[in-house]
mmCIF file with all atom_site columns, all heavy atoms in Angstrom:
data_model
loop_
_atom_site.group_PDB
_atom_site.id
_atom_site.type_symbol
_atom_site.label_atom_id
_atom_site.label_alt_id
_atom_site.label_comp_id
_atom_site.label_asym_id
_atom_site.label_entity_id
_atom_site.label_seq_id
_atom_site.pdbx_PDB_ins_code
_atom_site.Cartn_x
_atom_site.Cartn_y
_atom_site.Cartn_z
_atom_site.occupancy
_atom_site.B_iso_or_equiv
_atom_site.pdbx_formal_charge
_atom_site.auth_seq_id
_atom_site.auth_comp_id
_atom_site.auth_asym_id
_atom_site.auth_atom_id
_atom_site.pdbx_PDB_model_num
ATOM 1  N N   . GLY A 1 12 ? 8.050  114.911 -62.391 1.00 80.00 ? 223 GLY A N   1
ATOM 2  C CA  . GLY A 1 12 ? 8.786  115.759 -61.466 1.00 80.00 ? 223 GLY A CA  1
ATOM 3  C C   . GLY A 1 12 ? 8.737  115.394 -60.022 1.00 80.00 ? 223 GLY A C   1
ATOM 4  O O   . GLY A 1 12 ? 8.088  116.113 -59.204 1.00 80.00 ? 223 GLY A O   1
ATOM 5  N N   . VAL A 1 13 ? 9.350  114.305 -59.580 1.00 87.00 ? 224 VAL A N   1
ATOM 6  C CA  . VAL A 1 13 ? 9.387  113.957 -58.188 1.00 87.00 ? 224 VAL A CA  1
ATOM 7  C C   . VAL A 1 13 ? 10.175 115.060 -57.425 1.00 87.00 ? 224 VAL A C   1
ATOM 8  O O   . VAL A 1 13 ? 11.255 115.423 -57.845 1.00 87.00 ? 224 VAL A O   1
ATOM 9  C CB  . VAL A 1 13 ? 10.036 112.566 -57.984 1.00 87.00 ? 224 VAL A CB  1
ATOM 10 C CG1 . VAL A 1 13 ? 10.248 112.284 -56.510 1.00 87.00 ? 224 VAL A CG1 1
ATOM 11 C CG2 . VAL A 1 13 ? 9.192  111.498 -58.647 1.00 87.00 ? 224 VAL A CG2 1
ATOM 12 N N   . TRP A 1 14 ? 9.603  115.510 -56.311 1.00 90.00 ? 225 TRP A N   1
ATOM 13 C CA  . TRP A 1 14 ? 10.219 116.634 -55.604 1.00 90.00 ? 225 TRP A CA  1
ATOM 14 C C   . TRP A 1 14 ? 10.656 116.247 -54.167 1.00 90.00 ? 225 TRP A C   1
ATOM 15 O O   . TRP A 1 14 ? 11.793 116.458 -53.807 1.00 90.00 ? 225 TRP A O   1
ATOM 16 C CB  . TRP A 1 14 ? 9.264  117.788 -55.536 1.00 90.00 ? 225 TRP A CB  1
ATOM 17 C CG  . TRP A 1 14 ? 9.855  119.014 -54.943 1.00 90.00 ? 225 TRP A CG  1
ATOM 18 C CD1 . TRP A 1 14 ? 9.648  119.486 -53.695 1.00 90.00 ? 225 TRP A CD1 1
ATOM 19 C CD2 . TRP A 1 14 ? 10.707 119.933 -55.599 1.00 90.00 ? 225 TRP A CD2 1
ATOM 20 N NE1 . TRP A 1 14 ? 10.373 120.650 -53.467 1.00 90.00 ? 225 TRP A NE1 1
ATOM 21 C CE2 . TRP A 1 14 ? 11.030 120.954 -54.655 1.00 90.00 ? 225 TRP A CE2 1
ATOM 22 C CE3 . TRP A 1 14 ? 11.309 120.006 -56.878 1.00 90.00 ? 225 TRP A CE3 1
ATOM 23 C CZ2 . TRP A 1 14 ? 11.883 122.025 -54.946 1.00 90.00 ? 225 TRP A CZ2 1
ATOM 24 C CZ3 . TRP A 1 14 ? 12.145 121.068 -57.155 1.00 90.00 ? 225 TRP A CZ3 1
ATOM 25 C CH2 . TRP A 1 14 ? 12.420 122.055 -56.223 1.00 90.00 ? 225 TRP A CH2 1
ATOM 26 N N   . ALA A 1 15 ? 9.761  115.752 -53.336 1.00 94.00 ? 226 ALA A N   1
ATOM 27 C CA  . ALA A 1 15 ? 10.067 115.475 -51.928 1.00 94.00 ? 226 ALA A CA  1
ATOM 28 C C   . ALA A 1 15 ? 9.952  114.019 -51.624 1.00 94.00 ? 226 ALA A C   1
ATOM 29 O O   . ALA A 1 15 ? 9.139  113.263 -52.222 1.00 94.00 ? 226 ALA A O   1
ATOM 30 C CB  . ALA A 1 15 ? 9.136  116.283 -50.995 1.00 94.00 ? 226 ALA A CB  1
ATOM 31 N N   . LEU A 1 16 ? 10.760 113.531 -50.656 1.00 94.00 ? 227 LEU A N   1
ATOM 32 C CA  . LEU A 1 16 ? 10.810 112.113 -50.309 1.00 94.00 ? 227 LEU A CA  1
ATOM 33 C C   . LEU A 1 16 ? 10.716 111.930 -48.790 1.00 94.00 ? 227 LEU A C   1
ATOM 34 O O   . LEU A 1 16 ? 11.112 112.825 -48.008 1.00 94.00 ? 227 LEU A O   1
ATOM 35 C CB  . LEU A 1 16 ? 12.094 111.463 -50.770 1.00 94.00 ? 227 LEU A CB  1
ATOM 36 C CG  . LEU A 1 16 ? 12.416 111.472 -52.270 1.00 94.00 ? 227 LEU A CG  1
ATOM 37 C CD1 . LEU A 1 16 ? 13.850 110.968 -52.516 1.00 94.00 ? 227 LEU A CD1 1
ATOM 38 C CD2 . LEU A 1 16 ? 11.419 110.615 -53.014 1.00 94.00 ? 227 LEU A CD2 1
ATOM 39 N N   . ALA A 1 17 ? 10.161 110.753 -48.373 1.00 95.00 ? 228 ALA A N   1
ATOM 40 C CA  . ALA A 1 17 ? 10.182 110.371 -46.980 1.00 95.00 ? 228 ALA A CA  1
ATOM 41 C C   . ALA A 1 17 ? 10.236 108.825 -46.917 1.00 95.00 ? 228 ALA A C   1
ATOM 42 O O   . ALA A 1 17 ? 9.686  108.161 -47.780 1.00 95.00 ? 228 ALA A O   1
ATOM 43 C CB  . ALA A 1 17 ? 8.949  110.886 -46.245 1.00 95.00 ? 228 ALA A CB  1
ATOM 44 N N   . LEU A 1 18 ? 10.928 108.328 -45.884 1.00 94.00 ? 229 LEU A N   1
ATOM 45 C CA  . LEU A 1 18 ? 11.006 106.885 -45.662 1.00 94.00 ? 229 LEU A CA  1
ATOM 46 C C   . LEU A 1 18 ? 10.155 106.468 -44.474 1.00 94.00 ? 229 LEU A C   1
ATOM 47 O O   . LEU A 1 18 ? 10.085 107.209 -43.497 1.00 94.00 ? 229 LEU A O   1
ATOM 48 C CB  . LEU A 1 18 ? 12.464 106.452 -45.407 1.00 94.00 ? 229 LEU A CB  1
ATOM 49 C CG  . LEU A 1 18 ? 13.351 106.173 -46.662 1.00 94.00 ? 229 LEU A CG  1
ATOM 50 C CD1 . LEU A 1 18 ? 14.768 105.935 -46.194 1.00 94.00 ? 229 LEU A CD1 1
ATOM 51 C CD2 . LEU A 1 18 ? 12.861 104.975 -47.447 1.00 94.00 ? 229 LEU A CD2 1
#
Side-chain angles (χ1 to χ4, degrees):
V224 174
W225 186 259
L227 299 172
L229 274 173

